[in-house]
Amino acid sequence: MRVFTAIQLHPEISLAVEKGFQSYKPFESAIRWVNFKTIHSTLHFFSNLTDSQIKDLIKVSEAVIAKSNSFPITLNEPGFFPDPKHPRVFWWGIEVCDSLEKLHQELSAAYQKLKLPLEDRAYKAHFTLGRFKNQEPVLDEVIQKLKGTWKLSGKQMNATSIKLFKSPALSEGYPVLHEFFFKKGMPG
């Protein structure tokens, strides 16, 4: 089964993203937008786990996350994967705080001990907002509009949990398999 762990965007910020989306309607022919109710920042993605591996993943995730404090997440600047000249993904970045970096490293170490298959690419904290439908060159004016109109930089939310989502091959949403809660409160 395809699954991933992620921090879901706070509903209040998600609503701001959805409202900001209205000015991007003209780009719908070039970009497939995410479902704004399920915007998330993926921590780890697993392409093919057995039920037994998922049970083990839940157990070690619970242990790591339950001993961690909640922490603030601040949105910074938008960007494109792999780059603005050849965009495939439009995303909004997250300022990586020590708490998020430490959590990602601790979860990675726990998953490696279980011999779960981790992705090879470096972790880049972000919320995906849209995927370009084809590889045709995207006009600079479109790129600049995407970067300049949405006023999300500096918005902050408190990460209070991590969710384990099922990732169906073709889906409008992601079913939540489990939710892991941090200890209460912000780091001191």
Side-chain angles (χ1 to χ4, degrees), residues 16-61:
V17 170
E18 190 171 8
K19 284 181 181 177
F21 167 71
Q22 300 311 314
S23 64
Y24 295 97
K25 289 279 189 187
F27 304 135
E28 285 185 311
S29 62
I31 301 172
R32 181 174 45 93
W33 300 103
V34 299
N35 178 337
F36 294 105
K37 291 178 178 35
T38 61
I39 295 175
H40 60 270
S41 179
T42 300
L43 294 169
H44 292 91
F45 178 82
F46 303 95
S47 61
N48 191 20
L49 296 186
T50 65
D51 288 344
S52 176
Q53 287 174 311
I54 290 172
K55 286 179 185 174
D56 291 341
L57 180 144
I58 289 171
K59 185 177 178 180
V60 299
S61 297

Side-chain angles (χ1 to χ4, degrees), residues 71-133:
F71 54 88
I73 290 180
T74 304
L75 300 180
N76 56 22
E77 298 298 322
F80 302 89
F81 289 138
D83 61 63
K85 293 191 188 317
H86 308 93
R88 280 185 256 145
V89 175
F90 172 54
W91 50 265
W92 211 278
I94 299 171
E95 288 181 17
V96 179
C97 64
D98 291 343
S99 297
L100 177 57
E101 187 66 36
K102 181 181 176 194
L103 175 68
H104 186 266
Q105 290 172 355
E106 288 178 357
L107 287 171
S108 294
Y111 300 153
Q112 285 174 334
K113 284 182 184 175
L114 292 175
K115 299 188 184 334
L116 296 178
L118 297 175
E119 290 186 298
D120 290 335
R121 58 185 160 184
Y123 175 62
K124 172 77 174 161
H126 70 281
F127 290 102
T128 297
L129 299 181
R131 299 184 192 299
F132 289 85
K133 292 181 179 178

Side-chain angles (χ1 to χ4, degrees), residues 4-25:
F4 61 94
T5 57
I7 298 170
Q8 194 157 11
L9 190 61
H10 189 279
E12 182 178 301
I13 298 175
S14 186
L15 185 60
V17 170
E18 190 171 8
K19 284 181 181 177
F21 167 71
Q22 300 311 314
S23 64
Y24 295 97
K25 289 279 189 187

